[in-house]
């Protein structure tokens, strides 16, 4: 099976090294100094005191790679639409697209059922281009739980975690999702197949919708946000709004809101991805993590006053920094 990691940054690089070392036929799409370093010296993964270096095909011209069995998208979610045209040469009749991205994937309402079946979300898929040009039927969900960092060009550091749950929109255990899970498991990763992948999408989004923008506004780490009475209360208010929306879609949360906040507190002095992007001058994932929940609230008729207020503030913060 041919696998392309589209966006071989921190998470994509981690996946690329693990897959390459397991013997998978993997290629990487990247750009700039990171791509140049990978071509010159290979891709280095640091795990604890161990160094793993692989030399795999890496390019900024996806058309060189040919049709793939799996395209694992590890781009920032707001960058996917801009990559559609370049991605098309990788698509064959059998190609599956694995959305290893933060937030809600473009295929979310495919085989969803009820009155929301087939809906698209403008905040994550402007003009429904991903839905129409990539196709929702290609999508396989993938939740990214590991934390990784790009230490420098061609160098990825693994911080913690190795779990990538996967699942079909329909909840079926298809041959494709079994093959994907086996591929990831052979690479030393945990890839359980879930029959309710949307529950897992929301469990992660539940924290992202509040902790990410609050951290960008306060520059506080997770332990501080979840411990300070004011920011903890604000996070809880946002999460309860999100929970009401999610449950309208039939989502089941396996933990309650207090336990979810406590889980974030126990992570410790961790900077969220949105805060890291702000500090590094990179566009922040505001729309995939926050605006999309507001959009879903409007879709269901559920008011989101806490989310609306924080979203308005973080957008202004990003605009001031030239990152939105």
């Amino acid at each position: 099976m041919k696998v392309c990691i589209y966006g071989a940054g921190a998470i994509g690089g981690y996946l690329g090294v693990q897959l390459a070392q397991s013997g998978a036929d993997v290629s990487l799409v990247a750009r700039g100094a990171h791509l140049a370093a990978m071509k010159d010296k290979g891709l280095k993964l640091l795990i604890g005191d161990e160094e793993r270096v692989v030399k795999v095909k890496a390019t900024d011209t996806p058309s060189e790679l040919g049709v793939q069995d799996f395209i694992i998208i590890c781009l920032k979610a707001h960058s996917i639409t801009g990559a559609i045209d370049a991605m098309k040469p990788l698509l064959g009749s059998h190609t599956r697209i694995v959305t290893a991205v933060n937030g809600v994937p473009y295929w979310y309402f495919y085989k969803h059922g009820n009155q929301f079946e087939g809906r698209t979300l403008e905040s994550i898929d402007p003009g429904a281009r991903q839905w129409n040009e990539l196709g929702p039927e290609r999508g396989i969900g993938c939740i990214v739980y590991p934390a990784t960092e790009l230490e420098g060009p061609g160098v990825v550091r693994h911080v913690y975690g190795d779990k990538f749950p996967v699942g079909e929109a329909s909840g079926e255990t298809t041959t494709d999702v079994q093959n994907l899970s086996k591929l990831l498991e052979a690479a030393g990763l945990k890839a359980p197949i879930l029959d309710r992948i949307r529950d897992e999408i929301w469990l992660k989004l539940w924290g992202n919708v509040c902790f990410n923008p609050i951290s960008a506004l306060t520059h506080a780490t997770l332990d501080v946000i979840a411990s300070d009475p004011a920011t903890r209360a604000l996070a809880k208010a946002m999460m309860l709004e999100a929970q009401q929306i999610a449950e309208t879609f039939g989502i089941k949360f396996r933990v309650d809101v207090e336990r979810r906040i406590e889980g974030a507190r126990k992570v410790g002095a961790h900077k969220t991805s949105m805060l890291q992007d702000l500090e590094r001058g990179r566009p922040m994932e505001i729309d995939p993590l926050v605006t999309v929940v507001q959009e879903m609230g409007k879709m269901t008729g559920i008011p989101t006053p806490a989310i609306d207020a924080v979203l308005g503030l973080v957008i202004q913060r990003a605009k001031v920094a030239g990152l939105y």
Side-chain angles (χ1 to χ4, degrees):
M1 290 182 293
K2 295 183 70 176
V3 183
C4 175
I5 308 291
Y6 205 107
I11 284 293
Y14 170 54
L15 280 170
V17 171
Q18 296 295 95
L19 286 167
Q21 287 209 319
S22 71
D25 183 359
V26 63
S27 56
L28 312 175
V29 174
R31 61 185 181 182
H34 183 51
L35 173 61
M38 288 193 289
K39 284 184 169 183
D40 182 31
K41 297 180 180 178
L43 177 57
K44 180 186 293 185
L45 174 64
L46 307 175
I47 300 184
D49 296 328
E50 183 186 352
E51 288 189 4
R52 302 177 184 179
V53 181
V54 297
K55 287 282 280 187
V56 297
K57 185 159 191 177
T59 183
D60 57 2
T61 309
S63 58
E64 298 176 350
L65 303 175
V67 171
Q68 303 290 307
D69 294 294
F70 292 105
I71 302 171
I72 303 179
I73 299 180
C74 296
L75 296 168
K76 295 285 189 179
H78 54 257
S79 302
I80 297 173
T81 297
I84 290 173
D85 289 338
M87 204 179 292
K88 285 179 180 177
L90 303 174
L91 300 175
S93 60
H94 63 286
T95 306
R96 300 301 303 272
I97 294 175
V98 183
T99 47
V101 296
N102 276 330
V104 177
Y106 76 94
W107 52 261
Y108 186 87
F109 288 114
Y110 176 69
K111 294 195 174 180
H112 182 273
N114 66 37
Q115 71 267 37
F116 302 107
E117 175 68 37
R119 296 284 291 270
T120 60
L121 294 156
E122 185 67 18
S123 55
I124 58 163
D125 186 14
R129 283 197 61 198
Q130 294 177 54
W131 183 282
N132 291 326
E133 298 179 49
L134 298 179
E137 70 282 355
R138 294 187 190 275
I140 293 178
C142 178
I143 317 301
V144 176
Y145 280 117
T148 56
E149 297 174 358
L150 198 59
E151 278 210 348
V155 182
V156 173
R157 178 171 292 280
H158 174 263
V159 180
Y160 65 80
D162 60 0
K163 192 174 179 183
F164 293 85
V166 295
E168 295 275 11
S170 65
E172 299 170 275
T173 301
T174 62
T175 300
D176 284 343
V177 81
Q178 287 178 319
N179 287 339
L180 175 63
S181 176
K182 289 174 184 175
L183 191 74
L184 295 172
E185 296 271 0
L189 306 168
K190 294 173 183 160
I193 299 171
L194 305 183
D195 59 5
R196 293 180 59 88
I197 191 68
R198 293 179 185 85
D199 288 358
E200 203 73 12
I201 288 170
W202 273 98
L203 187 63
K204 187 174 182 190
L205 180 60
W206 208 17
N208 282 338
V209 70
C210 58
F211 297 127
N212 271 275
I214 291 172
S215 72
L217 291 168
T218 63
H219 289 253
T221 50
L222 280 179
D223 55 338
V224 174
I225 295 169
S227 299
D228 178 84
T231 51
R232 185 182 176 107
L234 178 57
K236 182 176 179 180
M238 296 174 74
M239 291 172 78
L240 289 175
E241 290 173 2
Q243 182 176 358
Q244 189 178 359
I245 295 164
E247 288 176 345
T248 301
F249 296 134
I251 296 302
K252 300 184 189 311
F253 290 88
R254 66 173 185 265
V255 299
D256 64 23
V257 67
E258 291 290 346
R259 184 172 168 189
R260 181 68 177 84
I261 293 172
E262 273 302 291
R265 185 186 65 79
K266 290 176 182 177
V267 170
H270 175 69
K271 293 183 179 181
T272 70
S273 60
M274 198 177 286
L275 177 55
Q276 290 181 46
D277 285 342
L278 175 64
E279 291 180 343
R280 293 169 186 173
R282 301 186 305 210
M284 298 187 287
E285 290 184 290
I286 295 171
D287 290 339
L289 301 185
V290 191
T291 311
V292 69
V293 180
Q294 182 192 61
E295 183 178 356
M296 287 174 143
K298 292 174 181 175
M299 186 183 292
T300 56
I302 295 171
T304 53
I307 289 172
D308 294 349
V310 172
L311 176 59
L313 290 171
V314 79
I315 285 175
Q316 288 304 312
R317 179 68 185 87
K319 285 181 176 177
V320 168
L323 302 177
Y324 186 82

